């Protein structure tokens, strides 16, 4: 055994595992309850219901359609307000230039405090998730995995091998990234991914806040939130290894984003370059994250349970989650790219022309 492991424990192949092209088994058992506390109602009713495929599909669809129906009402309020305050002027060709017409509730102190607390909560939650998930991966790849393989492999594992072993090694409960790690201070990916999946429902409040402030929600906003729900569901439900990318990358970006929003709530304005850099980082996370997710399909690693080499993505359910995320990220990247050009490039060009 040791002689056969003298080489690399991780390699890349030209094609994904053939099993990944089979029809997914949608009746596959859900992941084990990821929390240490036991509550029968949450464990036996809410948890399975939240991971039922109909739940994210129905909620995401209702959210997306409702937002765009409400957008029409919001925009009509803006048009009526413009006509009332500017009776002799024609409507601007670009209706996005119309001023917001906030609802009365959005002007109250209670609403403003709620929005501030909402952004602070999501900022702190994102920081907590990022630290927790990266700590788990670091612990597995730098301590548990090297210690285990030191008993059966004569040469030390490289950082590259340790990392992919920690991400892909999904058949051994003791060394599984998805399970609760033996160290009580660390949690497995099931814990972090499931909570992150739930947070995507909570983030719908971002859209509610925008609408109450009298502004239509953009296609970017509604597509982003509805798609994130479906992506996190698919990765969590079928325990697809690359979902760690969504959790780590997105929690990092959200830490910065909600920090920015929190400061805006108390009228602290950061330089324009911060917001522009944040948008650039969001686009980068989609391109790099989506590409890295696809890479998992071509990785082969040594499975310490079966004693054989196998694909990091070894079944059609895990592969489906990868494809769902990549299909979602492609138009999202284009939408963010268009937002970047519209928000920064066009304004920069207009300012340059005025100065000349």
């Amino acid at each position: 055994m040791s002689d056969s492991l003298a080489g690399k424990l991780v390699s890349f192949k030209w094609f994904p595992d053939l099993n990944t092209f089979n029809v997914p088994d949608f009746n596959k058992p859900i992941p084990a309850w990821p929390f240490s506390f036991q509550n029968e109602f949450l464990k036996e009713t809410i948890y399975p219901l939240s991971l039922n495929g109909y739940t994210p599909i129905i909620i995401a669809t209702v959210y997306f359609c409702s937002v765009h129906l409400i957008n029409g009402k919001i925009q009509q309020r803006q048009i009526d307000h413009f006509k009332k305050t500017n009776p002799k002027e024609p409507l601007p060709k670009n209706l996005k230039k119309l001023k917001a017409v906030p609802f009365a509730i959005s002007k109250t102190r209670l609403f403003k405090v709620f929005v501030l607390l909402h952004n602070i909560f999501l900022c702190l939650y994102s920081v907590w998730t990022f630290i927790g998930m990266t700590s788990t991966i670091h612990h597995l790849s730098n301590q548990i995995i090297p210690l285990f393989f030191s008993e059966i492999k004569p040469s030390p594992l490289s950082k590259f091998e340790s990392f992919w072993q920690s991400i892909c090694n999904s058949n051994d409960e003791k060394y599984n990234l998805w399970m609760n790690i033996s160290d009580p201070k660390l949690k497995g990916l099931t814990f972090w991914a499931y909570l992150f999946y739930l947070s995507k429902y909570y983030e719908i409040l971002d859209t509610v806040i925008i609408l109450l402030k009298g502004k239509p929600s953009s296609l970017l906003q509604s597509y982003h939130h509805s798609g994130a729900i479906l992506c996190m569901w698919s990765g969590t439900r079928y325990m697809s290894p690359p979902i760690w990318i969504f959790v780590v990358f997105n929690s990092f970006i959200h830490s910065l984003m909600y920090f920015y929003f929190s400061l805006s709530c108390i009228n602290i304005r950061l330089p324009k370059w911060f917001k522009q850099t944040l948008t650039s980082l969001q686009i980068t996370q989609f391109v790099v994250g989506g590409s890295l997710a696809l890479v998992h399909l071509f990785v082969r690693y040594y499975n310490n349970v079966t004693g054989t080499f196998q694909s990091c993505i070894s079944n059609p359910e895990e592969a489906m989650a990868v494809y769902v995320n990549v299909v979602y990220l492609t138009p999202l990247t284009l939408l963010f790219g268009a937002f970047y050009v519209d928000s920064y490039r066009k304004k920069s060009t207009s300012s340059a022309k005025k100065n000349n």
Side-chain angles (χ1 to χ4, degrees), residues 334-355:
L334 296 175
L335 286 171
F336 261 96
F339 171 78
Y340 184 91
V341 171
D342 189 57
S343 299
Y344 308 115
R345 293 303 181 190
K346 285 184 178 180
K347 290 181 180 179
S348 298
T349 304
S350 299
S351 299
K353 287 181 178 179
K354 287 181 180 179
N355 293 331

Side-chain angles (χ1 to χ4, degrees), residues 98-110:
L98 290 173
K99 290 184 178 180
V101 185
F103 290 88
I105 190 175
S106 68
K107 298 178 182 179
T108 63
R109 183 181 295 274
L110 182 62

Side-chain angles (χ1 to χ4, degrees), residues 249-250 252-253 256-257 273-289 336 340:
F249 284 31
N250 201 235
F252 173 73
I253 296 297
L256 299 175
M257 185 179 77
W273 64 260
F274 184 88
K275 186 179 180 181
Q276 187 170 349
T277 301
L278 186 57
T279 304
S280 299
L281 287 173
Q282 287 176 311
I283 295 172
T284 301
Q285 83 161 310
F286 302 144
V287 175
V288 175
F336 261 96
Y340 184 91

Side-chain angles (χ1 to χ4, degrees), residues 8-19:
K8 288 188 175 181
L9 294 177
V10 176
S11 62
F12 290 93
K13 299 297 181 182
W14 288 105
F15 298 100
D17 191 312
L18 292 179
N19 290 329

Side-chain angles (χ1 to χ4, degrees), residues 106 108-120 265:
S106 68
T108 63
R109 183 181 295 274
L110 182 62
F111 179 83
K112 293 176 181 178
V113 170
F114 167 75
V115 173
L116 173 61
L117 294 178
H118 166 75
N119 287 313
I120 291 175
C265 288

Side-chain angles (χ1 to χ4, degrees), residues 45-70:
T45 304
I46 299 301
Y47 182 64
L49 179 62
S50 67
L51 292 178
N52 184 296
Y54 289 111
T55 300
I57 291 174
I58 291 173
I59 293 178
T61 302
V62 169
Y63 158 73
F64 187 87
C65 294
S66 298
V67 166
H68 290 279
L69 286 173
I70 295 171

Side-chain angles (χ1 to χ4, degrees), residues 115-287:
V115 173
L116 173 61
L117 294 178
H118 166 75
N119 287 313
I120 291 175
F121 166 71
L122 284 175
C123 176
L124 295 177
Y125 167 72
S126 299
V127 171
W128 177 64
T129 300
F130 177 75
I131 293 175
M133 189 69 260
T134 52
S135 296
T136 295
I137 294 174
H138 181 269
H139 181 73
L140 268 175
S141 61
N142 287 274
Q143 297 181 43
I144 293 181
I145 292 293
L147 181 63
F148 174 78
F149 278 100
S150 66
E151 300 172 2
I152 61 174
K153 184 174 184 289
S155 58
L157 269 71
S158 66
K159 294 290 185 181
F160 176 84
E161 290 174 307
S162 296
F163 172 76
W164 283 105
Q165 281 289 335
S166 69
I167 299 302
C168 299
N169 204 332
S170 59
N171 286 5
D172 188 332
E173 292 189 3
K174 188 176 180 181
Y175 305 105
N176 188 349
L177 177 67
W178 283 92
M179 308 300 292
N180 288 335
I181 312 303
S182 56
D183 187 335
K185 295 180 181 179
L186 297 172
K187 297 295 183 181
L189 183 53
T190 310
F191 175 87
W192 297 112
Y194 181 68
L195 285 181
F196 207 65
Y197 162 59
L198 294 183
S199 76
K200 297 305 161 189
Y201 291 106
Y202 178 76
E203 287 174 13
I204 288 175
L205 281 175
D206 287 349
T207 305
V208 175
I209 291 169
I210 289 173
L211 295 173
L212 289 176
K213 287 183 176 181
K215 302 175 184 177
S217 176
S218 66
L219 175 61
L220 171 60
Q221 173 93 0
S222 54
Y223 176 81
H224 186 18
H225 284 305
S226 55
I229 290 172
L230 295 172
C231 287
M232 278 307 304
W233 168 81
S234 63
T236 304
R237 169 66 179 83
Y238 295 112
M239 300 174 70
S240 187
I243 205 64
W244 72 266
I245 303 169
F246 202 130
V247 176
V248 171
F249 284 31
N250 201 235
S251 63
F252 173 73
I253 296 297
H254 277 196
S255 299
L256 299 175
M257 185 179 77
Y258 286 108
F259 172 71
Y260 172 81
F261 290 158
S262 298
L263 292 181
S264 296
C265 288
I266 54 177
N267 296 318
I268 296 178
R269 303 297 177 186
L270 293 178
K272 180 183 175 181
W273 64 260
F274 184 88
K275 186 179 180 181
Q276 187 170 349
T277 301
L278 186 57
T279 304
S280 299
L281 287 173
Q282 287 176 311
I283 295 172
T284 301
Q285 83 161 310
F286 302 144
V287 175

